[in-house]
Amino acid sequence: MKAVVWAGGFGTGLGPLTEGTPAACVPIAGVPCIVRSMRLLASSGVREFHVSLFHSPQEVRNVLSDPALAECTVLYHAESVPLGTAGAVKNCLPFCDEDFLVIRGDCSFDFDLTDAIAFHRSHRGPLTVVSSRAEASGVGTLLADSEGRITRYSPPCDGNLPCSDEVDTGIYLCSSHLLELIPNGCCDFSKDVLPQLLGQNVPLYRYASQGYWSDLGSVSSYLKCNRRFLAMEGDRIHTVPDSETVVESPCYIGKNVSLQGCHVGPYTVIGDNCILKGTRLEGCVLESGVACSVGSVARNAVLCHHAVLREDSRIGDDCVIGADCEIGSGATVPAGVKIYPSNRIPPNVFVSGSVHHKLRTLIPDEGKILFPYGRDFGGAMIFEIGRALAEQFDGDVVVGRAEQRDSSAAMTFCGGVISCGKNVYDTGINDLQRFRFTVRNYAFRCGAFFQRNYSNLVLRLFDGNGMPLSVSQADQFIRILSEGGCCGEQEGLYRVFRGGSKSYLSYLRSFGLPSRTNLRVTPSQILLPLLPRSSDASACERLRIGDEWIRAERHDGDPFDESYLTLAACISLGRKESPVYVPQHLPEIADRIASSYGFRIRRIGAEDPHVRKLYPLTDPNVCAILILRLLEEERCGFGDFVASLPPFCVKHRDVSVPMSRGAVLRRLSSVGGDLGDGMLFRDRGGSVRVIPKENPNIFRVFGEAANSETAEELCEFYTKKLKGLKPD
């Protein structure tokens, strides 16, 4: 059997470890990952390997000169542009008249594929996915029937919920006629080929492996993989340490290593030519040429080629110290921090965040980047953010700010955009919602808005829809920011833009301004000239509109639930158009209410292709106009409107579950849940929605019913059900 080995990946999840090194070449207990995989395939009868190359191809060729592969034929196929996992197969095997195997070079496993090959030949379908029960991110998940035929597949796209904890390992057994089903050009098995074939009812199968598999997608998984193989293979010591050094099993010590007075804890890997004196290592992986001085300590960390730890330095769990980095005497690198290559950390400092090419990363949270007061991020970081955003969206960028004091930060951002050859349009001092509309209405590719949260500077990033960056967009932004960049062949242009105000006011008027209101309205500055003068009666209800929020209050000042505000705006909008696009968390009762008013709603999330249509209900100015218009047409107050709705109540709480997200959703699916935005159950005349949070072990439980007591009971019942789940 032939095998196609995809070895072109960058391995960005491993951060500094794969800077300049293909992910397939990272060492696992002293042996490159791709070599381990190909040795195992050779033992299963594979004798011809076709290796797809793109990133650092010569390094892949170097590591595959392994003597254990001498009896195999290894053929190399270079990609001039990235082709993806499926595109690489067509590039390597344009014609093939026999079954073949596909594997990623950057995954690690220990199971024999002989039985999987026999299973594939028995059903004669075009493709068999080798699956595994594993915790992994960025991979597809699947469900299959008792015969192994795949019934559901969730691609590894950000925003997609896993349908199970049974993951696609990236190992595929293929029949020759599969080549006819793979489109030309760049495409992936998990993102393109599998979903397309399943949509066409092509029979695809899965073989459930029983051994160990890991995709090496993170530093934590990489360290666990090393521990796994050290536990299987035991000690491999090529250099004998001195008498004062304590070595605990199992561990790997390479050739020409100097160990003087050290403590080497279990599950430690030390590469060739390292010089260690008076240091303590526990569960670490050291690549070649690392030097550690007296008193230095590293625990569950990765130290890349020629990294240096000076006296009394401290390295925490899941850290990566990049190649040629130097950690100064007495410096502390806390857990999870990554230091990218060639950085120098001064003595006696506490490194508060990852250092990416001399820049600390700032990760967007719902499109927001916070620059805490008193933290020295400097203009270089803002400049780099401008460059990265312009590179990501590859087009004109618009920038604005809420206050004059942030003009310097905005101009620095503009410099970053211009440096990579893109144009930037400056709206000056602006209102947030008017700025969002400008990004959307004038077809800019993206926007950046500076504002203040008390003394903290906040940068808001928006896509071309005027919506905050989605999870996938934020991940792409972080990757581009981390990789750094260079100046374009020519500079972009800086221009002043002042055209958004009239257009935004016209947009607001298009929703139909109310002629009167019996509410006390405290409007935003933009709505102030548009709304009629409100009642001055001290006892009536109040509607308050801020830059980013809207709030309705009863006579006594108590607020109405936010769900009522969204429902009122939704009904008002539904009188003009159908369907009305609403956020996914809107209560289930909204469907019945919409039907009674003669329109329908559609729930969408940030990754939905129709996300642009969600925009009106995310603008508090639009929502205020819609609500006031509805109350005028109904000739009632907000409390009267609420009283006219079917009774409902929503309760929610967050639950921590010590299981992977996919495993939890698979268990809930097996007891009758409907997979949508999380898992939906209908119970006791109400409904319960279980939605995963950003933290992979946290779930939010929404209980909805006609009254508070039942909603609370539903919430409590499913909270206990979640807490009672145990790993398989």
Side-chain angles (χ1 to χ4, degrees):
M1 175 175 278
K2 300 177 181 179
V4 175
V5 183
W6 188 67
F10 287 85
T12 54
L14 290 176
L17 182 60
T18 49
E19 283 281 303
T21 300
C25 294
V26 298
I28 306 294
V31 180
C33 180
I34 190 172
V35 173
R36 283 188 174 276
S37 298
M38 289 174 64
R39 286 178 183 176
L40 198 55
L41 294 181
S43 68
S44 299
V46 177
R47 287 295 178 266
E48 183 176 319
F49 293 93
H50 294 259
V51 182
S52 180
L53 305 175
F54 180 71
H55 175 49
S56 299
Q58 189 56 48
E59 188 163 350
V60 177
R61 292 172 182 266
N62 292 341
V63 300
L64 289 183
S65 59
D66 185 84
L69 301 174
E71 296 183 4
C72 299
T73 301
V74 181
L75 303 173
Y76 299 97
H77 304 264
E79 300 178 13
S80 57
V81 295
L83 295 175
T85 52
V89 170
K90 269 211 160 180
N91 185 51
C92 294
L93 294 178
F95 304 100
C96 187
D97 57 1
E98 62 178 286
D99 292 350
F100 61 93
L101 185 147
V102 178
I103 186 171
R104 285 170 40 194
D106 59 350
C107 72
S108 181
F109 62 100
D110 65 5
F111 45 84
D112 190 310
L113 288 172
T114 304
D115 290 340
I117 294 171
F119 172 77
H120 173 72
R121 288 171 173 165
S122 69
H123 65 69
R124 299 309 304 167
L127 183 142
T128 299
V129 178
V130 177
S131 67
S132 176
R133 288 281 174 84
E135 295 187 18
S137 59
V139 297
T141 56
L142 56 88
L143 292 170
D145 61 22
S146 58
E147 296 179 357
R149 181 167 176 173
I150 297 174
T151 57
R152 184 163 187 167
Y153 187 87
S154 181
C157 303
D158 292 296
N160 253 6
L161 291 174
C163 62
S164 171
D165 61 341
E166 188 171 5
V167 302
D168 173 357
T169 64
I171 303 173
Y172 307 109
L173 293 156
C174 309
S175 300
S176 58
H177 61 277
L178 177 70
L179 293 170
E180 302 171 3
L181 305 177
I182 298 176
N184 295 322
C186 179
C187 62
D188 279 282
F189 278 104
S190 57
K191 295 180 180 179
D192 305 305
V193 175
L194 291 176
Q196 180 180 343
L197 295 182
L198 286 172
Q200 298 170 355
N201 291 321
V202 175
L204 305 180
Y205 293 80
R206 72 91 168 94
Y207 174 82
S209 65
Q210 300 302 314
Y212 171 82
W213 172 86
S214 174
D215 70 337
L216 304 185
S218 66
V219 176
S220 177
S221 64
Y222 174 67
L223 289 170
K224 288 179 181 177
C225 187
N226 276 273
R227 292 172 69 94
R228 169 81 181 195
F229 282 96
L230 284 173
M232 289 173 54
E233 298 169 358
D235 289 334
R236 284 194 293 156
I237 299 176
H238 300 283
T239 302
V240 178
D242 73 348
S243 58
E244 297 180 2
T245 295
V246 176
V247 177
E248 299 183 56
S249 298
C251 69
Y252 173 94
I253 300 176
K255 301 174 183 178
N256 195 30
V257 174
S258 174
L259 283 165
Q260 302 179 36
C262 300
H263 185 113
V264 180
Y267 304 107
T268 296
V269 176
I270 301 175
D272 298 343
N273 304 311
C274 291
I275 301 175
L276 312 175
K277 183 176 182 179
T279 191
R280 184 181 185 93
L281 303 171
E282 296 182 19
C284 294
V285 175
L286 279 62
E287 294 192 311
S288 63
V290 172
C292 299
S293 301
V294 175
S296 58
V297 176
R299 175 184 174 85
N300 298 325
V302 179
L303 279 61
C304 299
H305 300 291
H306 307 292
V308 176
L309 303 186
R310 296 299 183 190
E311 293 81 0
D312 300 318
S313 55
R314 298 287 187 271
I315 312 298
D317 290 1
D318 292 340
C319 287
V320 181
I321 309 301
D324 300 308
C325 283
E326 179 180 325
I327 309 302
S329 301
T332 299
V333 182
V337 167
K338 298 180 178 181
I339 311 295
Y340 276 67
S342 303
N343 275 287
R344 300 290 181 268
I345 304 301
N348 304 312
V349 301
F350 182 91
V351 182
S352 57
S354 295
V355 181
H356 286 251
H357 304 293
K358 305 184 186 297
L359 298 173
R360 292 178 172 84
T361 56
L362 297 172
I363 300 176
D365 180 12
E366 296 183 349
K368 299 178 184 178
I369 293 179
L370 176 68
F371 296 82
Y373 176 75
R375 294 278 293 278
D376 181 20
F377 290 104
M381 170 56 78
I382 296 176
F383 182 93
E384 285 295 310
I385 289 174
R387 176 200 57 77
L389 193 69
E391 286 189 6
Q392 176 179 354
F393 288 94
D394 193 26
D396 293 345
V397 182
V398 61
V399 64
R401 49 200 172 277
E403 301 180 32
Q404 183 63 38
R405 60 173 167 167
D406 297 324
S407 295
S408 176
M411 295 306 295
T412 303
F413 176 92
C414 291
V417 175
I418 293 170
S419 72
C420 62
K422 303 299 186 295
N423 301 327
V424 63
Y425 291 78
D426 187 356
T427 66
I429 298 175
N430 210 332
D431 173 88
L432 176 62
Q433 300 305 328
R434 184 169 57 200
F435 177 82
R436 289 179 59 204
F437 177 80
T438 298
V439 177
R440 171 189 178 88
N441 190 58
Y442 292 91
F444 290 106
R445 298 300 300 273
C446 58
F449 188 82
F450 290 88
Q451 61 182 174
R452 290 279 166 172
N453 177 9
Y454 300 101
S455 296
N456 298 324
L457 177 64
V458 179
L459 176 57
R460 306 288 298 273
L461 303 179
F462 300 99
D463 64 15
N465 295 312
M467 302 293 288
L469 296 192
S470 65
V471 173
S472 61
Q473 290 170 335
D475 286 345
Q476 184 183 4
F477 168 79
I478 294 167
R479 179 181 61 79
I480 295 173
L481 182 65
S482 302
E483 292 173 351
C486 57
C487 295
E489 294 182 1
Q490 60 183 22
E491 291 185 349
L493 299 175
Y494 171 83
R495 294 173 177 170
V496 175
F497 185 88
R498 296 288 186 267
S501 297
K502 291 183 179 179
S503 297
Y504 183 54
L505 292 176
S506 298
Y507 172 71
L508 294 178
R509 290 189 180 98
S510 70
F511 290 94
L513 299 178
S515 59
R516 59 178 297 276
T517 174
N518 60 350
L519 298 178
R520 295 181 64 194
V521 180
T522 305
S524 62
Q525 288 298 315
I526 288 179
L527 286 180
L528 189 59
L530 299 180
L531 297 180
R533 187 173 181 178
S534 59
S535 170
D536 293 326
S538 59
C540 71
E541 299 161 335
R542 182 187 293 270
L543 187 69
R544 301 178 186 269
I545 305 104
D547 289 339
E548 301 183 58
W549 51 267
I550 183 170
R551 174 185 171 107
E553 298 175 350
R554 294 182 172 86
H555 296 76
D556 57 4
D558 287 343
F560 289 94
D561 190 281
E562 291 182 5
S563 298
Y564 291 120
L565 290 163
T566 307
L567 282 171
C570 181
I571 291 170
S572 183
L573 197 59
R575 290 181 170 180
K576 295 183 176 182
E577 59 186 57
S578 181
V580 174
Y581 293 81
V582 301
Q584 292 177 325
H585 57 76
L586 197 68
E588 289 290 308
I589 193 71
D591 298 86
R592 184 150 55 98
I593 294 173
S595 178
S596 69
Y597 278 89
F599 69 97
R600 60 188 179 89
I601 64 173
R602 177 177 172 184
R603 290 177 171 82
I604 57 175
E607 305 289 344
D608 194 287
H610 296 92
V611 67
R612 183 178 179 86
K613 297 182 178 180
L614 185 62
Y615 178 85
L617 294 182
T618 66
D619 185 331
N621 295 321
V622 173
C623 287
I625 291 173
L626 291 171
I627 292 169
L628 292 173
R629 185 71 177 169
L630 175 70
L631 298 181
E632 180 185 29
E633 293 173 354
E634 297 289 336
R635 298 182 179 181
C636 68
F638 196 77
D640 298 325
F641 163 75
V642 171
S644 70
L645 298 176
F648 76 95
C649 182
V650 178
K651 299 289 184 179
H652 73 269
R653 63 185 62 184
D654 291 342
V655 186
S656 177
V657 185
M659 293 172 59
S660 70
R661 180 175 295 176
V664 171
L665 295 176
R666 174 175 58 84
R667 294 284 195 86
L668 295 178
S669 179
S670 67
V671 294
D674 296 326
L675 184 65
D677 174 33
M679 197 66 66
L680 177 65
F681 297 89
R682 309 208 181 267
D683 193 357
R684 308 179 202 180
S687 64
V688 175
R689 193 181 294 274
V690 180
I691 300 178
K693 300 287 286 179
E694 292 180 0
N695 185 314
N697 295 118
I698 302 296
F699 292 79
R700 175 160 290 184
V701 179
F702 289 89
E704 181 183 345
N707 56 72
S708 176
E709 292 77 11
T710 305
E712 186 67 43
E713 289 176 5
L714 287 170
C715 196
E716 180 67 22
F717 178 79
Y718 282 88
T719 295
K720 290 182 178 179
K721 183 184 289 288
L722 279 172
K723 288 182 176 179
L725 294 178
K726 302 297 181 184
D728 292 332

